[in-house]
Coordinates of all heavy atoms in Angstrom, one line a residue:
L229 N -5.4 -22.2 -25.4 CA -5.3 -23.4 -26.1 C -6.0 -24.5 -25.3 O -5.8 -24.6 -24.1 CB -3.8 -23.8 -26.2 CG -3.4 -24.9 -27.2 CD1 -3.6 -24.5 -28.6 CD2 -1.9 -25.2 -27.0
T230 N -6.8 -25.4 -26.0 CA -7.4 -26.4 -25.3 C -6.6 -27.7 -25.3 O -5.6 -27.8 -26.0 CB -8.7 -26.8 -25.9 OG1 -8.5 -27.4 -27.2 CG2 -9.7 -25.6 -26.1
L231 N -6.8 -28.6 -24.4 CA -6.1 -29.8 -24.3 C -6.1 -30.5 -25.6 O -5.1 -31.0 -26.1 CB -6.7 -30.7 -23.2 CG -6.1 -32.2 -23.1 CD1 -4.6 -32.0 -22.8 CD2 -6.8 -32.9 -21.9
F232 N -7.3 -30.6 -26.3 CA -7.4 -31.3 -27.6 C -6.4 -30.6 -28.6 O -5.7 -31.3 -29.4 CB -8.8 -31.2 -28.0 CG -9.0 -31.7 -29.5 CD1 -9.0 -33.1 -29.7 CD2 -9.0 -30.8 -30.5 CE1 -9.1 -33.6 -31.0 CE2 -9.2 -31.3 -31.9 CZ -9.3 -32.7 -32.1
E233 N -6.4 -29.3 -28.6 CA -5.5 -28.5 -29.6 C -4.1 -28.7 -29.3 O -3.3 -28.9 -30.2 CB -6.0 -27.1 -29.6 CG -7.3 -26.8 -30.2 CD -7.9 -25.4 -29.7 OE1 -7.4 -24.8 -28.7 OE2 -8.7 -24.9 -30.5
A234 N -3.7 -28.8 -27.9 CA -2.4 -29.0 -27.6 C -1.9 -30.4 -28.1 O -0.8 -30.6 -28.7 CB -2.2 -28.9 -26.1
Q235 N -2.8 -31.4 -28.0 CA -2.5 -32.8 -28.4 C -2.3 -32.8 -29.9 O -1.4 -33.4 -30.5 CB -3.6 -33.7 -28.0 CG -3.7 -34.0 -26.4 CD -4.9 -34.7 -26.0 OE1 -5.9 -34.5 -26.6 NE2 -4.8 -35.5 -24.9
Y236 N -3.2 -32.1 -30.6 CA -3.1 -32.0 -32.0 C -1.8 -31.4 -32.6 O -1.2 -31.9 -33.5 CB -4.3 -31.2 -32.6 CG -4.4 -31.0 -34.1 CD1 -4.9 -32.0 -34.9 CD2 -3.8 -29.9 -34.7 CE1 -5.0 -31.9 -36.3 CE2 -3.8 -29.8 -36.1 CZ -4.4 -30.8 -36.9 OH -4.4 -30.6 -38.3
M237 N -1.3 -30.4 -31.8 CA -0.1 -29.7 -32.2 C 1.1 -30.6 -32.1 O 2.0 -30.6 -32.9 CB 0.1 -28.4 -31.4 CG -0.9 -27.3 -31.8 SD -0.6 -25.8 -30.9 CE 0.8 -25.1 -31.9
V238 N 1.1 -31.4 -31.0 CA 2.2 -32.3 -30.7 C 2.1 -33.4 -31.8 O 3.2 -33.8 -32.4 CB 2.1 -32.9 -29.3 CG1 3.1 -34.0 -29.2 CG2 2.5 -31.8 -28.3
E239 N 1.0 -34.0 -32.0 CA 0.9 -35.1 -32.9 C 1.2 -34.7 -34.4 O 1.7 -35.6 -35.1 CB -0.6 -35.7 -32.8 CG -0.8 -36.4 -31.5 CD -2.3 -36.6 -31.4 OE1 -3.1 -36.4 -32.3 OE2 -2.7 -37.2 -30.2
N240 N 1.0 -33.5 -34.7 CA 1.2 -33.1 -36.1 C 2.5 -32.2 -36.3 O 2.6 -31.5 -37.3 CB 0.0 -32.4 -36.7 CG -1.3 -33.3 -36.7 OD1 -1.4 -33.9 -37.8 ND2 -2.1 -33.4 -35.7
N241 N 3.3 -32.2 -35.2 CA 4.5 -31.4 -35.2 C 4.3 -29.9 -35.6 O 5.1 -29.3 -36.3 CB 5.5 -32.0 -36.3 CG 5.9 -33.4 -35.9 OD1 6.2 -33.7 -34.8 ND2 5.9 -34.3 -36.8
I242 N 3.2 -29.3 -35.1 CA 3.0 -27.9 -35.3 C 3.5 -27.2 -34.0 O 2.8 -26.4 -33.4 CB 1.5 -27.6 -35.4 CG1 0.9 -28.6 -36.5 CG2 1.2 -26.2 -35.9 CD1 -0.6 -28.4 -36.6
V243 N 4.8 -27.3 -33.8 CA 5.4 -26.7 -32.6 C 6.9 -26.9 -32.7 O 7.4 -27.8 -33.3 CB 4.9 -27.4 -31.3 CG1 5.3 -28.8 -31.2 CG2 5.4 -26.6 -30.0
S244 N 7.7 -25.9 -32.2 CA 9.1 -26.0 -32.3 C 9.7 -27.1 -31.3 O 9.0 -27.5 -30.3 CB 9.7 -24.6 -31.9 OG 9.4 -24.3 -30.5
T245 N 10.8 -27.6 -31.7 CA 11.3 -28.8 -31.0 C 11.5 -28.5 -29.5 O 11.2 -29.3 -28.6 CB 12.8 -29.2 -31.5 OG1 12.6 -29.4 -32.9 CG2 13.3 -30.3 -30.8
G246 N 11.9 -27.2 -29.1 CA 12.1 -26.9 -27.7 C 10.8 -26.9 -26.9 O 10.9 -27.0 -25.7
M247 N 9.7 -26.7 -27.6 CA 8.5 -26.6 -26.9 C 7.8 -28.0 -26.7 O 6.9 -28.1 -25.9 CB 7.4 -25.7 -27.7 CG 7.7 -24.2 -27.4 SD 7.2 -23.7 -25.7 CE 7.7 -22.1 -25.7
I248 N 8.3 -29.0 -27.4 CA 7.6 -30.3 -27.3 C 7.6 -30.8 -25.8 O 6.5 -31.2 -25.3 CB 8.3 -31.3 -28.2 CG1 8.0 -30.9 -29.6 CG2 7.8 -32.7 -27.9 CD1 8.7 -31.8 -30.7

Side-chain angles (χ1 to χ4, degrees):
L229 194 66
T230 66
L231 174 58
F232 173 80
E233 290 162 339
Q235 292 168 330
Y236 180 85
M237 292 186 77
V238 170
E239 291 168 1
N240 293 275
N241 296 317
I242 311 175
V243 62
S244 62
T245 302
M247 277 292 174
I248 290 176

